[in-house]
Amino acid sequence: MARKFFVGGNWKCNGTGDDVKKIVSMLNEAEVPPEDVVEVVVSPPYVFLPLVKSLLRSDFGVAAQNCWVRKGGAFTGEISAGMLVNLNIPWVILGHSERRLLLNESNEYWTWNIQLMFLFLQFVGDKVAYALSQGLKVIACVGETLEQRESGSTMAVVAAQTKSIAERVSNWDNIVLAYEPVWAIGTGKVATPAQAQEVHTELRKWLHDNIGPEVAASVRIIYGGSVNGKNCKELAGQPDVDGFLVGGASLKPEFIDINRDRISSPFGLTIR
């Protein structure tokens, strides 16, 4: 089954209004593969979502970088899935390692019981399920720390993270799974093509064994972690790397190069 290549650009907490306009202008003028070959989605900070949505070319999608686990309400500083839908934002990134590590989002979820004054961690699987129920498409992130990789527990970690989503989701049509080794995010270190392929292969096997062969064959598993114009071609050549979630490079002209390089990868224009 062919899987359309996917390139996401996570702008993180960067940019001013003028910066965003310049980036969008660069994207609008770029020559990239057609949308039936490569799906491109960019994710600006919340405050710039309407601006980017209004200015960006129609063949590129827009994603939020996070959303709240439930319906809106008394949750100061949060953005609900319904708000994103109201803004016509089709995608959201959930479970990014920076949120897992810095903001304590994890696989453990408990409810906030005001009477008992219990406040526990958000559960990424619940966030994915709720976002999907509201009509959003989800880039769901998984990945291990350096300590976990060195201890040989990479697959146990990413399998547990994927399981936390699978337990709450029955339809994977609108999910892109992003493998982002924490030790490679923003560090300049990159998983080798062989390392990325190994984890992607094992993730696809996990999907096959625990969800089913059709889901395993159709779900796109993309790689994130210091992807840039120099390393993207070799990574894209791996048979189970279905695209990228690009960080810092998505703010630069090389983001266009990353999209273009898909044309000349060893496996052609589409992923098997």
Side-chain angles (χ1 to χ4, degrees):
M1 178 182 295
R3 296 185 295 272
K4 187 192 299 185
F5 205 72
F6 184 101
V7 180
N10 181 10
W11 298 1
K12 305 189 179 184
C13 188
N14 289 298
T16 64
D18 287 340
D19 294 333
V20 166
K21 290 177 182 177
K22 291 177 183 177
I23 295 170
V24 171
S25 178
M26 173 190 71
L27 296 175
N28 288 345
E29 295 171 2
E31 293 184 10
V32 297
E35 58 184 318
D36 62 336
V37 172
V38 178
E39 184 170 8
V40 182
V41 174
V42 297
S43 185
Y46 283 126
V47 294
F48 299 127
L49 284 172
L51 176 63
V52 172
K53 179 70 175 178
S54 68
L55 298 178
L56 188 65
R57 55 197 291 174
S58 61
D59 57 333
F60 282 13
V62 180
Q65 296 176 17
N66 182 51
C67 68
W68 179 237
V69 68
R70 290 282 188 266
K71 185 178 180 179
F75 305 107
T76 302
E78 289 293 337
I79 306 295
S80 73
M83 292 174 180
L84 298 179
V85 172
N86 183 253
L87 291 175
N88 293 315
I89 303 300
W91 287 90
V92 63
I93 299 172
L94 294 175
H96 194 279
S97 67
E98 289 162 358
R99 296 195 62 83
R100 290 181 186 264
L101 293 175
L102 301 178
L103 299 173
N104 290 327
E105 292 189 3
S106 78
N107 297 336
E108 303 297 328
Y109 178 75
W110 303 80
T111 58
W112 182 6
N113 187 313
I114 297 177
Q115 285 72 32
L116 298 178
M117 291 189 295
F118 286 156
L119 177 58
F120 295 92
L121 301 179
Q122 297 176 18
F123 179 36
V124 174
D126 254 7
K127 296 178 79 170
V128 172
Y130 186 74
L132 290 171
S133 75
Q134 299 305 296
L136 292 173
K137 300 176 184 179
V138 176
I139 302 168
C141 303
V142 299
E144 84 284 8
T145 64
L146 181 60
E147 181 181 6
Q148 291 165 336
R149 170 163 282 276
E150 291 178 342
S151 70
S153 58
T154 292
M155 274 315 302
V157 171
V158 297
Q161 293 169 337
T162 306
K163 180 182 178 182
S164 72
I165 296 169
E167 289 175 339
R168 288 158 176 80
V169 170
S170 58
N171 188 330
W172 286 71
D173 289 349
N174 290 322
I175 299 176
V176 169
L177 200 58
Y179 168 58
E180 293 199 307
V182 179
W183 48 270
I185 297 175
T187 63
K189 298 179 181 179
V190 185
T192 66
Q195 287 174 322
Q197 172 61 22
E198 179 185 23
V199 176
H200 284 223
T201 299
E202 290 300 315
L203 271 174
R204 203 171 300 286
K205 183 177 183 297
W206 189 95
L207 292 171
H208 181 281
D209 294 345
N210 293 274
I211 301 175
E214 290 186 3
V215 170
S218 62
V219 167
R220 290 175 289 182
I221 305 176
I222 64 176
Y223 171 78
S226 296
V227 176
N228 57 46
K230 294 181 179 179
N231 58 41
C232 64
K233 184 178 295 186
E234 192 174 1
L235 285 164
Q238 304 306 304
D240 284 293
V241 175
D242 299 331
F244 303 116
L245 184 56
V246 185
S250 67
L251 301 168
K252 305 172 184 177
E254 66 182 304
F255 184 65
I256 303 303
D257 298 332
I258 293 170
N259 283 276
R260 287 174 176 164
D261 273 346
R262 180 58 198 152
I263 296 178
S264 55
S265 75
F267 290 94
L269 292 176
T270 56
I271 295 290
R272 291 116 330 266

